[in-house]
Every structure is written in C-alpha cells, then in structure tokens.
Amino acid sequence: MTLQVFGLPVSRGVAIGRAVLVASSRVDVAHYFIAPDQIPHEIERLRQARDAVADEIERLKREVPDDAPPELVALLDVHLMLLHDETLTGATKQWITERHYNAEWALSAQLEVLARQFDEMEDDYLRERKADIEQVVERLLRAMSRQSVSTLAAVSQTRERDWGGEEPLVLIAGDIAPADMLQFKRSVFQGFVTDVGGRTSHTAIVARSMDIPAVVGAREASRLIRQDDWVIIDGDAGVVIVDPSPMVLEEYRFRQRQSQLERERLARLRHTPAVTLDGEQVALLANIELPQDAPAALAAGAVGVGLFRTEFLFMNRQGELPGEDEQYEAYRAAVEAMQGLPVTIRTVDVGADKPLERMSMSELRHEHTLNPALGLRAIRWSLSEPSMFRMQLRAILRASAHGKVRLLIPMLAHANEIRQTFEILARAKQQLRDAGVAHTDVEVGAMIEVPAAALQLPLFLRHFDFISIGTNDLIQYTLAIDRADEAVAHLYDPWHPAVLRLIADAIRLARQAGKDVSVCGEMAGEPAFTPLLLAMGLRSFSMHPSQIPAVKQRILRSDTQKLALHLASVLASDDPHAESKRLWTSGREAAAERAFSP
Ligand code: PEP
Ligand code: MG
C-alpha cells in the first residue's frame, strides 16, 4: 500500500530506490558494506559473538540463587533458544552474504524484521517476546563491539564500494551522525531519509554536499518504511513516497530526467566568470569537508575553497585524534588539489551536533551535555586544549608552504578569545621558526556566527584580515533555535528581519573597513538569497560545489545597482521574504524556491 511520509527538504532532486534501513539500536552500531572476501570473516564474528553470549547466559544460569523465582531460569532458557534460532542467526548471515552488510548492521536489520513480526502477533504472550529478542540482539551487539575496535579500522577502507547489487538503494535511518554521513559520502546510496534533524544540521549539510536528494526530520520514516520497500525521495518537496503505484513512479522518473537535464544545462556555466549584468565580479568558493572533495570544487568552477571544515578529520577515531603530520598531509592535499587557488582552512569545530565520537542526536541531547550547541564547541574547545590547537595551527601553517592558505577561526565571541587565539598562533609560528620548518604568513579570518560577534564587528575588523559569516549558526543563535532539532525547524527562519539586519550590517561594516567578507553558511548556496546578498554588497559566496552553477546563473542575471535600490525596503519589511520575492523573483524562480522556504 502506498504511503507518504513528510519531512524537511534538505537536498534537491528525486531519488528512487529500495530502502536500506539503518535501525536506531540501543547499542551504537557501525553500518558499512564489506568486501566480498570478508563475508566469512563477518560470519565468524557473528559466530564468536553468539558463542560468547551463550557462555554468558549459561554462567548467569549457574549463578541464579536457589531462592530466585523459577521464571528467571526459564527466561534465560528462552534467551538461549532465541540465540540459536535460525530466524535470527541464519537470516542475519543472509544479510551478510547477499547484501554485504557488516555483521552488526545485518543483525540490527534482522532484528527490525523480527520486531515487526512480533508486533503483528495476536497473542499477548508471544507479542511480549519481542523484548526478549531485543535483549538477545543487544547482548550480541555488545559482544561484537568488544571484538570490533580493530576490525572497524581494518574494514574502514572497504566501506560502501563493495555493494554488488543491481538495484538503486536509498538509506532510511532514525538518525545519522555527521561522521557516519561522511562514510556514506562515496556511497552507493541515491538518497537519504532521517527521522530527526533540521535543515542546517550537519547531517543535512553533508547530504547536500553529496548532491543527492535528502529529506530529514521525517519523524516516523524509519518505523513506517521496511527493508527493501521501493521508495521515492522527493528532495524538493520533503516528501517520501513508499511503495508507489506505477503511475506515480513514472511521473517521478520523468522529473528525475528533467532535473538531470537541468543540471547538465547549468554545468555548461562552469567556465563562465561570475559577473553581474553591471560588471561586478563575484567570487564563488567551495565548502569542503575532506581533501578528497577538492576535485569536485574545481570541476564546479570554484575559484577557491572558502571553508574547509577540518573537524571531519577528527571524528570517529576512538579517542585518538590526528597528529600534526597527518593533519599537515590532509591540508597539503587540499591545497595542492586546488592548484594554486586559495584554500580557507577553518580550525576544528567539534561539539554541538558534531561530536568527536559517533553519537546519536538523542544521546547527545539527553545524556552528554545539557545543551551542546551552547557548550564547549569550536574555538572554545580548541582554547581548552591549547596543545591540540597549537598542533593544528602548525599543521595548517606548514601546508601554507604549498599554496595560498587562509586560516579561519570559528565561533569567536569574546575579545579574550581573540587575544588567546593570536597568542597561541604566535607560539605555533615561533615553534616552526625554531625548528626551521617552511611556512608563510597566512591571512587570519574570523567566522561571524554568534550575534555577539556581529554586534561587535569593529573589534573583529581590527584584529582580523577577513571575516566569513556563518549564517547557519548566526540564525541558530539569533533566533534561539537548535538547528539540528526538527521540532523547532519551522522557526528556523533565514528571512527573519533580525537575522538579515545582522548580516547586512556585517557586510557593510567589513566593506567600509576595506576587509574581505564572505558568507559560508547554507544561505550562500541558496539562489533565493543571491539577489539579497548581492544587494547587501556581498561579492564572495562559499557553498557546496554542487550549488555553484545555480547561484552563478542567478548572478549572471542580476544587476547589483538595481538590486541595491530596493535593499532598504526589504530590510524594513516585516516580511522580507515576500518583499524580496515581489521585487526580485521571476515566476519560474519562485516555483523553484518554494521548496526551500520556511
Ligand atoms: C555556519 O555556521 O554557517 C557555518 C558555515 O559553519 P558550520 O555549518 O560548520 O557550523
Ligand atoms: Mg558554524
């Protein structure tokens, strides 16, 4: 039966494929495809875990005190029986051999299947046995996580590329941590759906950087959609259609072909300089997460990297952070890949929805920090770990010997943080000089992403060579909306007059001071905001490479002088979005924008 699930559109286009469900288990589970030659190894891991759990349960049985209720032993017997039941272990092996899932993923996929069967049972007693199967699987997953730290590292190279199937796949998950999303980056998946997340959550950002359709905040999706269901992801409207009729399927296949044609048409703009009708040159830069993203930036016609989010190098490392040489190699790789174009490297921005270790949003919200977005994040974390920070600065400075590097500092708010940052930077430079290590004197910029920084911009302009406005966080902190929380996503409004006022003032003041200013939040890559940002005087936009062609098209059709005439009326309006559409948007463009607008 066809059903529709609604969420937030975060990455455009249409994806059609079979659902691969990543269940949110109580035990944190890694999901990756294994190479075919690793199938016996994964099955062996499953067997070892089963033996270990059987021993554990046998031991528990022996230790049951004589006066304990007899049901306790009976329960342990049920667990032993379930443990050896073919519908659990036999079917799990099938997920491993046929789908090439790693053992943990295979087990949680099978749990999902069994849990649904239990839910549908008429008999109360049998239905309640679902809790037992969950407990047994949990024991197995825990046993596997005890064996798996080294295994994880060993197979990390094989993730994703080993899917041997023919049919397109789409990923459906309760939640995907940004670090896991990154592992799916070069994956076989044609689209993503998650139950949680907001439009500018980092999971959504990485999905967008992959340029594949995605819907987040779809609440019940992972409960309503089953393994192998055919699914259409409409990334423009934020709708997921499960088990579509042939007619609906045909309609979406048509839309898919149309959007492919549109992409091909826009791709032809790659070598066209981004110059407005009145001759204003605009720099279109790329946001990247890994050095491997640099070729896509060049291919899209980016004139440099405006934001390299280095924190993705720091994630999921089981407590062992990258050392100076490893970081240096990564930064150098990005710089060399950009072939002489500038690369803006941002120091690590961990915390909030980008924890160092794999962690679900619910764990983050409820168990770790009361309010991670307001906690020890970005520069606050770096300043609390000065030797780590110095190490990263040295690695970035060393990469500057291989091309044009600019250094960017995230989340600054206090004069004191600025002072400490420069002290640590001076010390890092001194250390390199003392050791005779090559580096150059890089430009240093500040992210303006906390209202306190935007309101005190002259301080920042005095200390820094350039500023980069991080609208994702600036909106989050101005409107007090957690950008990763789907429950308040409807209030996350980039068009809010207070937000626009902060951005307009920052651009104006930076230009007056003769300092370079760019926007590197998601607004920069959204064509709906291009006329507005141009009118504000912005001439440097940084975005995912895939967004560059559409923004460039908008720039080519714009006249900044005409746009600027109406800026005051948009900023003064109670409804700047409506006003900007009235003044600046053609009918065709308006239709395309509706999907993204709040
Ligand atoms: C921003 O906040 O706008 C930004 C670019 O940084 P991030 O999305 O990584 O927080
Ligand atoms: Mg930010």
Side-chain angles (χ1 to χ4, degrees), residues 382-574:
S382 295
L383 292 177
S384 74
E385 300 275 346
S387 62
M388 180 70 234
F389 189 33
R390 242 185 349 260
M391 181 195 287
Q392 179 171 35
L393 292 173
R394 283 195 306 268
I396 295 172
L397 289 166
R398 284 169 61 191
S400 74
H402 302 275
K404 185 162 169 39
V405 168
R406 306 202 309 169
L407 176 67
L408 182 59
I409 313 292
M411 275 277 287
L412 289 161
H414 296 266
N416 207 16
E417 291 168 333
I418 299 175
R419 187 184 49 72
Q420 286 180 62
T421 299
F422 279 103
E423 276 170 13
I424 294 177
L425 179 61
R427 176 105 183 87
K429 285 182 183 170
Q430 188 59 48
Q431 286 175 331
L432 291 179
R433 271 197 299 273
D434 291 348
V437 177
H439 64 284
T440 63
D441 222 6
V442 300
E443 287 185 355
V444 187
M447 295 274 299
I448 303 300
E449 46 187 353
V450 180
L455 292 167
Q456 219 196 349
L457 205 74
L459 168 77
F460 287 80
L461 294 172
R462 278 201 301 278
H463 285 91
F464 290 92
D465 301 309
F466 66 98
I467 59 164
S468 186
I469 306 174
T471 49
N472 305 335
D473 279 314
L474 192 59
I475 298 165
Q476 147 162 284
Y477 295 126
T478 304
L479 301 179
I481 298 298
D482 188 331
R483 61 194 264 192
D485 187 350
E486 68 286 353
V488 285
H490 60 293
L491 297 172
Y492 185 94
D493 182 6
W495 289 102
H496 193 291
V499 170
L500 299 186
R501 171 63 57 200
L502 289 175
I503 298 171
D505 286 352
I507 294 172
R508 184 176 47 78
L509 289 173
R511 282 176 62 105
Q512 278 170 7
K515 296 274 165 103
D516 212 23
V517 47
S518 70
V519 169
C520 62
E522 296 301 297
M523 272 172 96
E526 183 45 52
F529 294 101
T530 311
L532 177 69
L533 293 171
L534 286 173
M536 289 176 179
L538 192 74
R539 298 293 179 263
S540 172
F541 296 61
S542 193
M543 66 199 79
H544 301 296
S546 62
Q547 295 166 314
I548 289 178
V551 171
K552 190 187 275 184
Q553 173 171 270
R554 204 64 194 253
I555 287 168
L556 297 174
R557 295 175 180 169
S558 300
D559 181 324
T560 61
Q561 288 176 14
K562 285 192 186 148
L563 290 173
L565 290 178
H566 298 297
L567 178 66
S569 103
V570 173
L571 292 181
S573 166
D574 288 345

Side-chain angles (χ1 to χ4, degrees), residues 165-325:
E166 304 263 299
E167 285 170 336
L169 301 177
V170 296
L171 189 72
I172 316 291
D175 184 15
I176 311 176
D180 278 340
M181 200 68 187
L182 207 63
Q183 280 159 7
F184 288 127
K185 204 154 169 149
R186 267 155 287 279
S187 78
V188 294
F189 296 113
Q190 314 270 316
F192 290 87
V193 179
T194 60
D195 294 349
V196 304
R199 220 175 248 128
T200 59
S201 61
H202 284 90
T203 301
I205 287 178
V206 180
R208 209 169 297 137
S209 77
M210 294 161 71
D211 195 21
I212 59 173
V215 171
V216 303
R219 308 248 170 134
E220 298 281 272
S222 73
R223 197 180 60 76
L224 296 170
I225 301 171
R226 284 174 300 198
Q227 287 284 354
D228 274 349
D229 275 347
W230 275 102
V231 170
I232 297 173
I233 301 174
D234 181 342
D236 297 311
V239 181
V240 184
I241 304 167
V242 188
D243 204 4
S245 69
M247 218 170 76
V248 172
L249 206 56
E250 198 34 55
E251 161 77 19
Y252 274 94
R253 287 203 200 286
F254 175 74
R255 280 188 43 192
Q256 233 179 357
R257 285 194 295 275
Q258 293 293 100
S259 90
Q260 186 52 32
L261 286 175
E262 173 70 3
R263 273 163 205 254
E264 285 165 16
R265 198 179 58 74
L266 284 177
R268 286 189 232 130
L269 295 177
R270 181 189 160 190
H271 297 294
T272 311
V275 180
T276 61
L277 293 173
D278 56 325
E280 286 286 311
Q281 285 219 347
V282 181
L284 296 182
L285 302 150
N287 290 355
I288 65 171
E289 274 91 40
L290 292 173
Q292 295 91 304
D293 298 334
L298 280 182
V303 296
V305 168
L307 173 65
F308 177 178
R309 289 184 164 99
T310 59
E311 50 275 13
F312 287 91
L313 301 170
F314 286 65
M315 289 178 184
N316 269 358
R317 305 187 50 112
Q318 279 80 38
E320 222 179 275
L321 298 181
E324 181 175 330
D325 286 345

Side-chain angles (χ1 to χ4, degrees), residues 327-399:
Q327 288 189 54
Y328 159 67
E329 292 299 344
Y331 306 146
R332 187 176 106 162
V335 169
E336 286 180 346
M338 289 307 292
Q339 303 172 3
L341 295 172
V343 177
T344 309
I345 305 179
R346 181 176 74 181
T347 58
V348 63
D349 178 5
V350 291
D353 67 335
K354 288 180 287 193
L356 282 176
E357 298 306 327
R358 178 186 296 110
M359 216 182 269
S360 72
M361 281 315 287
S362 50
E363 274 179 303
L364 259 176
R365 277 178 199 146
H366 302 303
E367 284 168 36
H368 289 265
T369 316
L370 281 178
N371 197 333
L374 303 182
L376 193 66
R377 188 192 154 182
I379 189 65
R380 302 171 184 181
W381 184 78
S382 295
L383 292 177
S384 74
E385 300 275 346
S387 62
M388 180 70 234
F389 189 33
R390 242 185 349 260
M391 181 195 287
Q392 179 171 35
L393 292 173
R394 283 195 306 268
I396 295 172
L397 289 166
R398 284 169 61 191

